[in-house]
Amino acid sequence: MPGPRTEDPLLRGVTDDLRLAHLLADYADSITIIRFRPDGSVGLLSIPRDLVAPGVDGQGPERINSALSGGPQAMIDAVVRSTGIPVDHIISLDFDGFMAIIDQLGGLRIGVVSHLRDPMVGIDLEPTPCTTLDADDALALVRSRYTQQLLADGSWSAPDPTGNLGRIARAQVISQALLAQLAASSPDLPDLNRYSQILADHATLDDGLTL
C-alpha cells in the first residue's frame, strides 16, 4: 500500500476581488508552489512571474504570468512545463486576505538585520532582533522592488538591483515567518472560524480542494 504523498498546491497572490469570477483571468502578483510533506513540514518555491515557460501546440514561449489569460489551468500547465513539479490544486488569495490573516495574528514578527527602506512603498525598518509588522507594512515589504540598505558610511545603497528576484526573496521570508507563526499560534475554535471566514471572503479554490 503506498504511503502518504506530498501535496503541491499552487498559490497565486492577486490584488483584485476574487469574488468576481471574470477576474480569474487576471494577472498574478505572486506565484508560489507550496509543498506539504507527509512529515508535516512545508516547503515553498516562488516562481518569478516573468519566467518564460515553454510553449505548447506549436505556440511560442510565453511568460508564466501571461499564461493566466487562458484561465487558472493554463497557468498550472505553464508552471508544470517550467518546473516539472506536478501541481495538485490552485489557490488564489487576494492581498486583503493576506492582510486579514496578519491582523488576526496580531501582527507578523520578523527580525531585521540591517536598516531597510523603500520610499516607493513607505517601508522604513530599523535593525532589531524582533519587530512586529502590521498588515500594511508586511504587504509593503512583500511588494517592495526598490529596497535599500543603510551602509556603514551612513549613505543608502542603490535600490535592489535584483528586481523581481529580490522581491521573491523578501516574500519568502515573510511567507515562512507567517507559516511558522500560524503553526505556533495554536488557534482555538473561534480563531479557526475567523480564519475560515477570511478564506471564504478572500480566497478562491479549485473544485477539487477544500480547506
Side-chain angles (χ1 to χ4, degrees):
M1 178 180 297
R5 60 180 292 271
T6 61
E7 291 283 341
D8 298 316
L10 181 69
L11 174 66
R12 71 184 189 99
V14 297
T15 57
D16 293 300
D17 185 354
L18 296 179
R19 291 169 292 183
L20 302 178
H22 70 280
L23 290 179
L24 284 173
D26 204 357
Y27 72 94
D29 196 87
S30 62
I31 307 167
T32 305
I33 297 176
I34 307 174
R35 169 156 290 184
F36 294 100
R37 303 185 182 92
D39 63 4
S41 61
V42 178
L44 300 173
L45 175 63
S46 297
I47 299 172
R49 59 187 182 181
D50 294 332
L51 181 69
V52 176
V56 293
D57 299 330
Q59 299 179 0
E62 62 179 345
R63 291 184 357 178
I64 278 185
N65 201 31
S66 301
L68 191 56
S69 61
Q73 187 60 50
M75 170 168 277
I76 290 175
D77 293 342
V79 168
V80 172
R81 291 196 306 273
S82 300
T83 65
I85 299 174
V87 172
D88 299 290
H89 300 287
I90 186 167
I91 305 167
S92 298
L93 179 69
D94 66 35
F95 283 141
D96 285 341
F98 171 81
M99 294 171 70
I101 291 172
I102 291 177
D103 282 337
Q104 180 61 33
L105 282 169
L108 185 67
R109 296 187 297 275
I110 64 167
V112 182
V113 176
S114 59
H115 196 158
L116 303 176
R117 75 174 186 183
D118 181 349
M120 298 294 290
V121 295
I123 280 291
D124 191 333
L125 299 175
E126 296 187 1
T128 177
C130 184
T131 189
T132 300
L133 301 182
D134 62 21
D136 288 324
D137 283 344
L139 180 60
L141 187 56
V142 164
R143 304 198 72 190
S144 171
R145 293 176 67 97
Y146 303 101
T147 309
Q148 297 174 281
Q149 295 187 43
L150 185 64
L151 303 177
D153 63 3
S155 65
W156 288 95
S157 69
D160 186 354
T162 61
N164 202 35
L165 293 179
R167 180 175 180 264
I168 284 174
R170 287 184 288 277
Q172 284 185 325
V173 170
I174 293 295
S175 298
Q176 290 167 349
L178 179 58
L179 288 172
Q181 197 167 325
L182 281 168
S185 64
S186 301
D188 56 19
L189 185 57
D191 284 334
L192 291 175
N193 287 337
R194 283 188 282 269
Y195 287 126
S196 296
Q197 188 60 53
I198 290 170
L199 292 176
D201 291 342
H202 299 285
T204 298
L205 316 179
D206 64 59
D207 292 339
L209 180 62
T210 57
L211 293 177

